[in-house]
Amino acid sequence: MLSYLAAALPPDASAEGRLLALQCALRSNTSGQVYLPAGLLRGMRLGRALAPWDELEDARWLLRLPHPTEQTGHRTAAAQLLDAAVLTQEPARHDRHQAADWALCAISRSRLRALPAADRLTALVLTTHHSPNAGRSSMEADHLTRTCGLDQHTLTATLNRLVSVNAVEAWTFELVTEDVSWNSPRQ
């Protein structure tokens, strides 16, 4: 889903917008509607932030629905996803909900909680691309920056902050392959 969003969202979409889009895409129903409880938005550290919603609306990726009804709950944000391709993404809806819960837990870990959204999104991307059997994982730098909505300079600072909080053990940029390689901390 992260790769889909890297292609579907504008390159300048913020990390907050990307995290919101990820939850919306994973939690949407078969009609492309999504209802996000206020607690979930607080857990993502988005709370009452309107900028990510505005950004996704400006990109014509979603449309906020009028204030929720009694049926959906008054403390729920509601939206209609406008990109039909999101509904064709695998896996099935139940598995997408599990992935949404996992992603929320991954970005809410205590070591990441105080970091900016871009750092939390990058940690999530690295975690999803980590191969536990390989020891060291890698990803094309261009793909990583596009998925996280970062430029190369910002990526460097973000990776260094992830090392400082032990979310990543170490990282390198491979000049020949133009890959970013990293070691995840030992559990």
Side-chain angles (χ1 to χ4, degrees), residues 92-144:
R93 186 166 187 253
H94 172 74
D95 294 334
R96 288 192 344 248
H97 276 243
Q98 285 184 320
D101 290 341
W102 178 86
L104 183 61
C105 288
I107 65 169
S108 299
R109 293 181 305 192
S110 60
R111 66 178 80 161
L112 299 176
R113 208 173 289 140
L115 294 177
D119 296 5
R120 291 180 284 131
L121 176 60
T122 303
L124 177 64
V125 171
L126 296 179
T127 301
T128 61
H129 286 83
H130 174 66
S131 174
N133 298 330
R136 188 159 180 83
S137 301
S138 66
M139 185 177 187
E140 289 179 359
D142 286 344
H143 184 63
L144 180 58

Side-chain angles (χ1 to χ4, degrees), residues 38-127:
L40 184 136
L41 295 172
R42 279 192 307 274
M44 293 173 57
R45 297 184 57 215
L46 295 178
R48 297 180 185 265
L50 296 179
W53 292 100
D54 293 340
E55 185 178 1
L56 295 176
E57 273 193 315
D58 290 346
R60 300 185 194 284
W61 192 80
L62 63 69
L63 176 65
R64 279 179 282 194
L65 297 175
H67 290 290
T69 64
E70 258 182 55
Q71 192 176 32
T72 61
H74 293 287
R75 294 184 179 163
T76 301
Q80 173 68 52
L81 304 186
L82 301 176
D83 187 350
V86 74
L87 301 176
T88 64
Q89 298 298 307
E90 293 295 327
R93 186 166 187 253
H94 172 74
D95 294 334
R96 288 192 344 248
H97 276 243
Q98 285 184 320
D101 290 341
W102 178 86
L104 183 61
C105 288
I107 65 169
S108 299
R109 293 181 305 192
S110 60
R111 66 178 80 161
L112 299 176
R113 208 173 289 140
L115 294 177
D119 296 5
R120 291 180 284 131
L121 176 60
T122 303
L124 177 64
V125 171
L126 296 179
T127 301

Side-chain angles (χ1 to χ4, degrees), residues 165-182:
V165 298
N166 199 35
V168 173
E169 189 174 279
W171 72 274
T172 57
F173 177 75
E174 309 293 335
L175 289 174
V176 176
T177 61
E178 296 187 355
D179 286 351
V180 172
S181 299
W182 69 93

